[in-house]
């Protein structure tokens, strides 16, 4: 066998080692980060902490799971560690030195800590989970805490719901659960009100700014900004008008800013602008043409929006077309491009001499790179062993016209390609819809290419990277996007006639699952389908999903969740009697974003209609199954899909 032509196997998912969560020390001379590795035997993940210092990597922790919380000073990290003897509802924070030695317990926080920050004035501020029905549990004695958790266990078979949403994806029931902000010193003090749910924080010397919303019976999309004097604990409302949805606070040159949108033009998915917050007013200082975060997708690396301030300048990721760029804003908030190349940036930090990036191109899972003087240098290769000798199909771009739009897609050629053979293929539709595909590594697609499939994928109307007008498909679901996919399939078949048009599979998750459901009820051109974490019925989705109270009817282009006629018109379930395509349904029972009932309704309708179906439900998983589900579950998911494709596209075909 050609040593450079080994197939990428489904099980390789468990062999990748993935860096994440970059965090620089106060002087920006050392970067700490986590490396995740799968434990397939225990069906779990472990994380170790590494540092990049003076251009060299070294491992800081091993044998026990650890997560970065904050820097204590230049040479000491505050980390969380999970031990079997940990007491319930507490976070054990350890301090570890870069210069060696064991981690030492720093503080035991009497709540589950989700974020910790040291301010420039030396205060520690933490975000943590509370029960609004018992908001002062953190002050309770050990006996009182034991009694509280005994009562929780006593009532574990019941859930009392009196607010919407009452659950959150992957978190089960969240009724009365809130994120609170605490001042951490010799003791802890909760600053935010019990029913206030904290979304983001920013600090400036003795002032803490908090953005969030006070939720009583239902969620409000409109944010409020409070300020706390960390010396006195006194609070005042900085901005309380119900006008904008807010995503992120930051302080630049001692001035408070917020990313926010009034949602008036493009609905809930409208791109957030940068606003200056002053005198209880929001003054827009920058209106971006693209999203200020990374929305390029992968199934091997997690990415979140990120902005950071360094040397009195704002830096931000942005999604442009099909790639991630890095902006540096000047004093007038004019963006200057520091980085622009194919692929995706999942995370970054700015140091004194260079930019440290968590970057991924098409060749394999992401790694750390340093970028200085317009030169890029890779400094880690954590998945080297897993990728050794593997065949990786390079994404080949293809442009096509659909309606008035010139669109871009990519094609992966199969391993051991022979031009005179006929091949099966897979069309993969991304989620969102406001996400984007790019020339980046996708494990599932590479598995199929290794097994002899052509794989093709594209950014259709609704995708991110081309501005709000392009991304806005409210009231057009299943129309313009469906036509784009049909035109794309036609374009791929014209350019690659070796694809057997009778052996094309289709799959997608979330919005891509919706599109898969729509496709099978509007055409029979695909030989089989795999619908993942899908939407089939906008009416029921609007009244059960965690995002249901605001997402479904907005995307259907109506003003009310009680406009059943409009939502039913855009529901694939309405057209189920047209389906003939054998369809596999993949769903998770803790997916509250696109809840289990959505897949079950569609599967049952197809079964009653006589269409060949199969449904696999993953217990304990959620909407993120394909990206961060347990190792065995992710492998089983991909085995189910690949087996389904093989059965319908490759039966009788010698591989």
């Amino acid at each position: 066998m050609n040593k450079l032509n080994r197939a990428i196997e489904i099980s390789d998912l468990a062999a990748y080692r993935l860096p994440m969560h970059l965090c620089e020390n106060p002087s920006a001379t050392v970067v700490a980060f986590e490396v995740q590795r799968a434990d397939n035997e225990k069906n779990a993940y472990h994380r170790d902490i590494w540092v990049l210092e003076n251009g060299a990597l070294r491992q800081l922790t091993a044998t026990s799971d650890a997560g970065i919380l904050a820097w204590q000073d230049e040479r000491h990290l505050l980390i969380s560690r999970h031990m079997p003897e940990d007491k319930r509802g507490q976070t054990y924070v350890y301090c570890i030195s870069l210069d060696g030695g064991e981690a030492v317990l720093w503080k035991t926080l009497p709540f589950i800590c989700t974020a910790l920050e040291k301010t420039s004035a030396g205060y520690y501020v933490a975000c943590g989970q509370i029960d609004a029905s018992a908001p002062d549990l953190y002050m309770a004695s050990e006996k009182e805490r034991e009694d509280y958790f005994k009562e929780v266990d006593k009532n574990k078979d019941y859930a009392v719901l009196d607010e919407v949403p009452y659950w959150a994806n992957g978190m089960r029931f969240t009724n009365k659960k809130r994120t609170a902000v605490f001042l951490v010193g010799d003791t802890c003090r909760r600053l935010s009100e019990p029913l206030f749910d904290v979304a983001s924080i920013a600090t400036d010397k003795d002032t803490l700014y908090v953005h969030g919303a006070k939720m009583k019976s239902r969620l409000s999309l409109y944010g409020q900004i409070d300020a706390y004097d960390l010396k006195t604990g006194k609070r005042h409302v900085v901005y309380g008008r119900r006008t904008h949805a807010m995503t992120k606070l930051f302080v630049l040159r001692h001035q408070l800013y917020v990313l926010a949108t009034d949602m008036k033009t493009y609905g809930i998915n409208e791109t957030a602008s940068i606003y200056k917050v002053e005198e209880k007013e929001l003054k827009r200082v920058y209106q971006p043409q693209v999203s200020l975060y990374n929305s390029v997708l992968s199934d091997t690396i997690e990415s979140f929006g990120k902005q950071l301030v360094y040397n009195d300048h704002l830096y931000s990721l942005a999604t442009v077309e099909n790639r991630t760029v890095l902006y540096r804003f000047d004093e007038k908030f004019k963006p200057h491009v520091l980085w622009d190349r194919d692929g995706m940036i999942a995370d970054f930090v700015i140091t004194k001499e260079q930019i440290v990036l968590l970057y991924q191109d098409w060749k394999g899972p992401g790694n750390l790179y340093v970028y200085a003087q317009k030169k890029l240098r890779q400094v880690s290769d954590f998945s080297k062993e897993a990728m050794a000798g593997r065949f990786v199909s390079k994404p080949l771009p293809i442009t096509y016209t659909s309606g008035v739009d010139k669109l871009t897609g990519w094609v992966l050629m199969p391993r051991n390609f022979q031009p005179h053979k006929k091949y099966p293929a897979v069309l993969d539709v991304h989620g969102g819809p406001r996400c984007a595909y790019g020339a980046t590594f996708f494990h599932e697609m590479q598995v199929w290419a290794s097994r002899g499939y052509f794989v093709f994928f594209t950014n259709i109307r609704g995708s991110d990277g081309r501005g709000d007008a392009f991304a806005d498909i409210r009231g057009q679901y299943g129309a313009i996007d469906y036509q784009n996919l049909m035109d794309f399939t036609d374009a791929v078949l014209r350019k690659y006639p070796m694809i057997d048009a009778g052996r094309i599979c289709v799959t997608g998750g979330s919005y891509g699952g919706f599109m898969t459901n729509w496709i099978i009820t509007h055409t029979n051109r695909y030989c089989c389908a795999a619908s993942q974490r899908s939407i089939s019925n906008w009416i029921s989705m609007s009244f059960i999903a965690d995002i249901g109270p605001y997402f479904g009817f907005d995307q259907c282009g109506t003003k009310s969740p009680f406009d059943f006629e409009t939502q039913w018109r855009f529901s694939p379930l309405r057209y189920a009697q047209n389906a003939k395509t054998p369809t596999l349904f993949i769903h998770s029972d803790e997916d509250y974003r696109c809840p289990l009932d959505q897949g079950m309704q569609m599967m049952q309708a197809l079964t009653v209609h006589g269409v060949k179906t199969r449904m696999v439900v993953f217990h304990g998983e959620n909407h993120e199954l394909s990206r961060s589900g347990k190792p065995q579950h992710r492998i089983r998911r991909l085995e189910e899909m690949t087996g389904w494709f093989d059965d319908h596209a490759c039966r009788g075909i010698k591989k």
Side-chain angles (χ1 to χ4, degrees):
M1 179 186 292
N2 186 340
K3 292 184 179 180
L4 299 177
N5 194 35
R6 296 170 58 209
I8 290 180
E9 305 289 352
I10 294 173
S11 59
D12 290 338
L13 263 175
Y16 301 141
R17 298 173 67 209
L18 306 172
M20 58 187 65
H21 190 191
L22 307 184
C23 184
E24 75 277 24
N25 68 347
S27 63
T29 56
V30 182
V31 177
F33 59 97
E34 300 165 11
V35 177
Q36 178 177 278
R37 51 190 169 84
D39 184 336
N40 203 35
E41 182 177 341
K42 295 183 178 179
N43 200 21
Y45 294 102
H46 303 293
R47 291 189 182 185
D48 302 313
I49 296 175
W50 289 62
V51 293
L52 173 64
E53 184 176 15
N54 296 324
L57 291 176
R58 57 191 173 90
Q59 189 169 350
L60 196 61
T61 68
T63 71
S64 62
D65 291 330
I68 298 170
L69 287 174
W71 285 91
Q72 185 183 52
D73 55 38
E74 297 291 343
R75 305 297 297 173
H76 294 84
L77 265 175
L78 298 178
I79 65 174
S80 62
R81 296 173 67 183
H82 305 289
M83 309 294 284
E85 62 271 19
D86 288 356
K87 290 186 178 180
R88 195 166 168 184
Q90 299 186 8
T91 302
Y92 296 83
V93 182
Y94 292 80
C95 180
I96 188 168
S97 172
L98 300 190
D99 301 314
E102 291 292 321
V104 177
L105 183 65
W106 177 68
K107 287 184 186 300
T108 300
L109 300 179
F111 51 84
I112 301 300
C113 180
T114 56
L116 181 66
E117 180 176 325
K118 185 178 183 181
T119 73
S120 59
Y123 299 98
Y124 285 95
V125 178
C127 292
Q129 299 172 3
I130 66 166
D131 178 352
S133 302
D136 296 325
L137 180 67
Y138 74 98
M139 295 191 299
S141 67
E142 185 171 338
K143 175 65 166 56
E144 291 170 330
R145 293 177 66 87
E146 289 177 357
D147 291 343
Y148 170 83
F149 286 115
K150 284 180 181 178
E151 190 67 19
V152 170
D153 291 340
K154 181 180 176 181
N155 290 281
K156 65 181 180 179
D157 292 335
Y158 318 102
V160 178
L161 311 176
D162 59 5
E163 61 187 28
V164 173
Y166 38 72
W167 55 18
N169 178 56
M171 296 175 63
R172 302 187 180 181
F173 288 110
T174 57
N175 201 81
K176 291 296 186 293
K177 300 298 189 292
R178 300 291 188 270
T179 297
V181 65
F182 295 84
L183 183 62
V184 177
D186 293 335
T187 60
C188 294
R189 179 168 47 145
R190 177 175 50 81
L191 299 178
S192 53
E193 296 178 332
L195 290 174
F196 191 87
D197 196 37
V198 174
S200 74
I201 64 173
T203 59
D204 185 28
K205 294 186 177 179
D206 296 324
T207 302
L208 167 68
Y209 297 103
V210 177
H211 138 243
K214 189 173 183 179
M215 178 176 161
K216 293 184 178 179
S217 61
R218 62 174 295 183
L219 172 70
S220 173
L221 293 180
Y222 299 106
Q224 174 178 312
I225 304 173
D226 294 340
Y228 293 87
D229 185 320
L230 292 176
K231 290 182 177 179
T232 66
K234 291 183 177 180
R235 175 185 72 96
H236 72 272
V237 178
V238 175
Y239 190 84
R241 296 167 57 192
R242 294 167 58 87
T243 60
H244 289 73
M246 303 174 184
T247 59
K248 177 72 179 292
L249 293 175
F250 65 91
V251 173
L252 178 61
R253 295 183 287 273
H254 304 295
Q255 171 64 54
L256 179 64
Y257 295 88
V258 64
L259 271 72
T261 171
D262 61 13
M263 303 178 286
K264 290 181 178 179
T265 306
Y266 295 105
I268 63 168
N269 280 343
E270 185 170 293
T271 299
S273 296
I274 299 176
Y275 290 85
K276 179 189 288 187
V277 185
E278 57 182 12
E279 298 179 356
K280 297 189 177 181
E281 296 290 335
L282 299 184
K283 179 182 178 182
R284 185 157 56 192
V285 297
Y286 176 66
Q287 184 175 9
Q289 300 303 307
V290 295
S291 302
L292 295 181
Y293 52 82
N294 171 59
S295 55
V296 180
L297 294 167
S298 170
D299 59 355
T300 57
I301 197 165
E302 291 189 76
S303 179
F304 306 95
K306 184 169 187 178
Q307 292 80 35
L308 65 80
V309 173
Y310 178 74
N311 277 354
D312 289 337
H313 284 87
L314 175 68
Y315 296 79
S316 178
L317 299 179
T319 302
V320 177
E321 295 283 348
N322 46 56
R323 60 196 183 278
T324 318
V325 304
L326 178 60
Y327 286 156
R328 174 183 179 273
F329 290 89
D330 64 20
E331 291 79 0
K332 296 182 179 180
F333 282 94
K334 179 181 178 181
H336 299 268
V337 176
L338 296 184
W339 165 284
D340 185 358
R341 62 176 65 197
D342 285 344
M344 62 181 287
I345 302 173
D347 199 357
F348 75 99
V349 295
I350 309 296
T351 70
K352 285 187 174 182
E353 299 178 350
Q354 59 200 8
I355 303 170
V356 180
L357 302 157
L358 178 48
Y359 169 67
Q360 179 174 286
D361 59 15
W362 63 271
K363 299 174 185 176
N367 271 293
L368 260 69
Y369 292 76
V370 295
Y371 185 67
Q373 298 178 340
K374 297 184 178 181
K375 293 182 179 179
L376 183 68
R377 179 172 66 90
Q378 183 174 343
V379 295
S380 76
D381 198 356
F382 288 108
S383 296
K384 180 179 180 180
E385 184 176 343
M387 294 300 296
R390 303 292 184 183
F391 167 81
V392 181
S393 184
K394 181 178 181 179
L396 303 175
I398 177 172
T399 58
Y400 62 102
T401 300
S402 182
V404 299
D405 294 312
K406 187 175 182 180
L407 303 174
T408 300
W410 294 265
V411 175
L412 302 183
M413 302 279 282
R415 187 171 68 102
N416 299 326
F417 171 70
Q418 298 177 37
H420 302 298
K421 285 182 60 176
K422 281 287 189 178
Y423 287 88
V426 179
L427 167 62
D428 206 328
V429 185
H430 70 62
R434 194 152 184 174
C435 295
Y437 278 141
T440 185
F441 184 80
F442 234 100
H443 175 78
E444 67 179 37
M445 297 188 193
Q446 293 294 340
V447 165
W448 298 328
S450 274
R451 293 176 69 88
Y453 288 84
F454 274 82
V455 184
F456 55 105
F457 50 101
T458 185
N459 291 328
I460 55 178
R461 276 273 183 170
S463 302
D464 206 7
R466 295 178 63 171
D468 281 338
F470 183 84
D472 184 24
I473 57 169
R474 292 173 301 161
Q476 301 180 79
Y477 274 55
I480 190 170
D481 46 3
Y482 171 77
Q483 190 58 52
N484 289 166
L485 290 171
M486 297 304 103
D487 292 339
F488 177 52
T489 301
D490 292 339
V492 170
L493 288 174
R494 285 194 298 269
K495 187 167 184 178
Y496 297 94
M498 60 287 296
I499 295 176
D500 186 339
R503 294 195 289 139
I504 303 177
C505 316
V506 61
T507 189
S510 195
Y511 163 75
F514 163 85
M515 281 309 308
T516 301
N517 291 344
W518 190 270
I519 286 169
I520 64 172
T521 57
H522 288 78
T523 182
N524 301 320
R525 72 182 299 179
Y526 300 95
C527 71
C528 68
S531 176
Q532 310 168 60
R533 57 188 188 278
S534 66
I535 296 170
S536 64
N537 182 348
W538 285 108
I539 298 173
S540 58
M541 188 268 188
S542 292
F543 290 99
I544 193 170
D546 60 355
I547 59 174
Y550 57 87
F551 183 81
F553 68 91
D554 175 85
Q555 294 301 288
C556 288
T558 182
K559 299 295 184 181
S560 168
F562 298 101
D563 184 348
F564 298 147
E565 181 179 352
T566 298
Q567 293 180 84
W568 185 237
R569 188 167 72 248
F570 291 109
S571 297
L573 185 62
R574 177 181 178 178
Y575 311 99
Q577 61 187 355
N578 299 330
K580 296 181 180 178
T581 307
T583 303
L584 168 71
F585 292 91
I586 300 286
H587 231 107
S588 301
D589 61 8
E590 291 183 17
D591 183 346
Y592 307 130
R593 187 64 35 84
C594 296
L596 180 59
D597 80 292
Q598 295 295 302
M600 296 181 82
Q601 290 180 71
M602 199 71 187
M603 180 265 186
Q604 186 159 326
L606 264 60
T607 302
V608 170
H609 187 52
V611 178
K612 183 179 179 181
T613 62
R614 174 180 171 88
M615 187 169 189
V616 183
V617 179
F618 289 82
H619 296 309
E621 294 292 355
N622 59 65
H623 200 66
E624 303 304 310
L625 168 64
S626 66
R627 295 179 281 263
S628 57
K630 293 178 180 179
Q632 291 178 15
H633 297 173
R634 294 176 70 197
I635 290 171
R636 174 64 181 268
R637 164 193 168 269
L638 194 46
E639 287 175 342
E640 289 284 348
M641 294 170 61
T642 304
W644 189 259
F645 295 161
D646 287 351
D647 284 348
H648 293 89
C650 298
R651 182 173 293 170
I653 305 297
K654 185 177 180 180
K655 294 187 179 180

